[in-house]
Every structure is written in structure tokens, then in C-alpha cells.
Amino acid sequence: MIANKNVLAIAKKTILSESNSIAQLVNYLTDDFSNAVNLIYNCKGRLVVTGIGKSAIIAQKMVATFNSTGTPSMFLHAAEAIHGDLGMVQDGDVIICISKSGNSPEIKVLVPLLKRFGNKLIGMTANLTSFLGKESDLVINAHVDSESCPNNLAPTNSTTAQLVLGDALAVCLMEMRNFKSEDFAKYHPGGALGKKLLLRVSDMLDYTHKPIVTPSTSIKDVIVEISEKRLGVTAVIENQNLIGIITDGDIRRMLNKNETISGLIAKDIMTENPKTVQLNSMVIDAFNIMEDFSITQMVVLNGSEYVGILHIHDILKEGIV
């Protein structure tokens, strides 16, 4: 059993070792990296990323990042490629082949086959003089001095270096494409991220529950309207214009101040100039307003027309935040 302080020391040593390896990568960037970015950007086909072992796992993550940021990509396992999957590669595709040593048997078999098809090959390796380094059209240097593994064997620093270089490629391509959050949302329609970037108030507004009273509505009827619609609030409308709101909090404060509600009407207790949101607004913007002003409901307008109430609980249920 290793003492906790020793475990933490090993963890810190590992993190520092990997971070130092990553920091050194900036010294290995050459024009081949820039040319690789331009080659991928101008590619008429897809970006094919291949590797073997741990590098294959990194290749899959790179493909996921490229696809989600506007670069059509696919993963090709180096071992499966030489047993039929090579048919996935089409004219116009650009290929990234990842291998720390650049000399693994599968890579030595695969690379000549790829070059036979005439596709441009970008090698990512820690060994520029390796088979992969020499045979590639462009080479991205993923050199690390050592692994964090105490035996200097298990891929740790080297796979992190590959991952970071893949991210660097993806970010460069995003900048070249002027890739915006709206574009990102197109590729992430599901989950909290997609909803945050795409969901509008109109998409989630319950039009069937639209609490409404007039300035002269009795407090009793106001309470009934709030209770029936179950939103904790009602809009006060006069001549089709919003003039205020009444919340269940307003009702409680009124009851604390008055022994009787006889004679009181909506206008007496309403809050004027309430916060509103337009029907076509983003839900996340409405949520931010609620957060800023510590409110749980907002009146929704379509232009100047009152169309309903947006409740913070509805937003939370969608998992946006």
C-alpha cells in the first residue's frame, strides 16, 4: 500500500511530466504543420485518420473533434485497413497516419498501399527518420523526451502529444472556416450544449397555459387565475397591452399587509414594467436575465402581443443549465 502523500506526489510528477512534454511541442512546429492545415482545408474529399494501438484511440478522438468542428472525417484502423477496410479511402481524401515509432509492422504495410492510391499522406510521429516519417508527404513532429510511465514504456506523454496536435489542427481549421457557435450547434443538436445554442423561447412555451387578468380583476379572481394556470404568476393586460404582472409573492405580501382583500383589484398590487422576453429569443438569454434579476418567470411577447409565461423550471427540465 502506498501512502496518500506518495500517491499525490506520483500524480503531480505525472501531470508535470506530460505538461512539460506538451509545452515543448511548440518548438517542433514547422511549415509542414501549416501546409497540413492548408491541405486539409482545401481537401475535396474527407480527412481519414488512421493508427494502431493507443494511437488508434487518439485517432478516433481526433475524428470526433474534426467532425464536430466542420471537417468531414472518418477513422480507419490500420490493422483492419489491410484486411478490406482500405476501400473506405476515396479519391480526394487526405490521410493522417499516427504512430509514435513510425515503424510498426502495420504502418509499414499500410503506408505503401495508401500512397499507391495517390492520396496525400500526413504523418504524425515522434520519429522523423522512421518509415512513416520518410514516406509521408508532410510530417508533424510529435516528439516527447520520455513517457510518464516509470518504465518509460506505456504511452502517456506521447499519446497526449498526439491529442494536443490533433486539437491544434482542428482549431486552426475552425479559424480558417470562421467557425462560429451557431455552426457548432448544427453538429450538436442534442444535449445541453445543442439546446443552449439552438433552443428558442417559442420552442418550449406552453401556449395552453396563458394566465391573464385585467387591471380591474378582483384579487379573488387573480388568485384563482394564478392557481389554475400553475405558473405562480399572471399577466395584467389592458387594451391588449401588458401593463404589469402579479406573482404569488405579490399575493403573499398583500395578505401580510391587509386583513381583508375586499375591494382590492389587480391594479392595486401588480408590478409595473415587468421583465419580458421576445418569442424568438434564445432560451439561454432568457435564463440569464432570470438569473441576473433573481426572478423565476418572464412574460413572453411576440412584438407587443402577450403570448405566455416562461418559467425557469421549464428551462431547468430541458437540461440547458
Side-chain angles (χ1 to χ4, degrees), residues 181-201:
S181 59
E182 294 81 6
D183 301 307
F184 197 78
K186 295 176 184 177
Y187 300 103
H188 298 78
L193 180 60
K195 291 177 180 178
K196 183 180 292 187
L197 294 171
L198 291 174
L199 199 62
R200 297 186 180 275
V201 172

Side-chain angles (χ1 to χ4, degrees), residues 104-148:
S104 62
E106 294 86 358
I107 297 301
K108 286 185 175 181
V109 173
L110 177 61
V111 167
L113 296 174
L114 294 172
K115 297 194 70 175
R116 186 184 303 168
F117 290 134
N119 299 84
K120 290 294 182 179
L121 177 63
I122 302 167
M124 182 181 291
T125 180
N127 184 0
L128 301 185
T129 62
S130 65
F131 182 83
L132 176 61
K134 291 178 178 178
E135 294 296 319
S136 298
D137 297 295
L138 299 168
V139 183
I140 296 174
N141 192 347
H143 172 77
V144 295
D145 291 331
S146 63
E147 303 287 5
S148 297

Side-chain angles (χ1 to χ4, degrees), residues 81-109:
I82 59 179
H83 293 287
D85 283 0
L86 199 57
M88 296 165 61
V89 181
Q90 302 295 313
D91 290 341
D93 291 347
V94 170
I95 302 166
I96 296 178
C97 184
I98 309 172
S99 172
K100 178 188 176 182
S101 71
N103 287 318
S104 62
E106 294 86 358
I107 297 301
K108 286 185 175 181
V109 173

Side-chain angles (χ1 to χ4, degrees), residues 102-234:
N103 287 318
S104 62
E106 294 86 358
I107 297 301
K108 286 185 175 181
V109 173
L110 177 61
V111 167
L113 296 174
L114 294 172
K115 297 194 70 175
R116 186 184 303 168
F117 290 134
N119 299 84
K120 290 294 182 179
L121 177 63
I122 302 167
M124 182 181 291
T125 180
N127 184 0
L128 301 185
T129 62
S130 65
F131 182 83
L132 176 61
K134 291 178 178 178
E135 294 296 319
S136 298
D137 297 295
L138 299 168
V139 183
I140 296 174
N141 192 347
H143 172 77
V144 295
D145 291 331
S146 63
E147 303 287 5
S148 297
C149 165
N151 300 312
N152 195 29
L153 293 173
T156 46
N157 297 30
S158 58
T159 47
T160 304
Q162 295 167 357
L163 188 65
V164 169
L165 287 168
D167 287 342
L169 288 170
V171 172
C172 288
L173 290 163
M174 289 175 69
E175 292 280 358
M176 292 180 72
R177 291 192 171 93
N178 195 28
F179 198 85
K180 302 294 187 183
S181 59
E182 294 81 6
D183 301 307
F184 197 78
K186 295 176 184 177
Y187 300 103
H188 298 78
L193 180 60
K195 291 177 180 178
K196 183 180 292 187
L197 294 171
L198 291 174
L199 199 62
R200 297 186 180 275
V201 172
S202 57
D203 297 324
M204 61 183 303
L205 187 66
D206 183 359
Y207 296 91
T208 62
H209 289 75
K210 183 181 173 182
I212 183 171
V213 297
T214 68
S216 59
T217 300
S218 69
I219 295 301
K220 178 183 178 181
D221 289 338
V222 169
I223 295 173
V224 170
E225 181 70 1
I226 293 176
S227 298
E228 286 183 348
K229 299 302 168 55
R230 298 186 178 184
L231 291 171
V233 65
T234 182

Side-chain angles (χ1 to χ4, degrees), residues 1 4 12 52 56 69 123 143 151 162 166 168 197 202 204 243 252 254 263:
M1 180 71 69
N4 283 349
K12 291 176 182 178
I52 192 76
T69 54
H143 172 77
N151 300 312
Q162 295 167 357
L197 294 171
S202 57
M204 61 183 303
I243 64 169
R252 288 193 297 272
M254 175 207 66

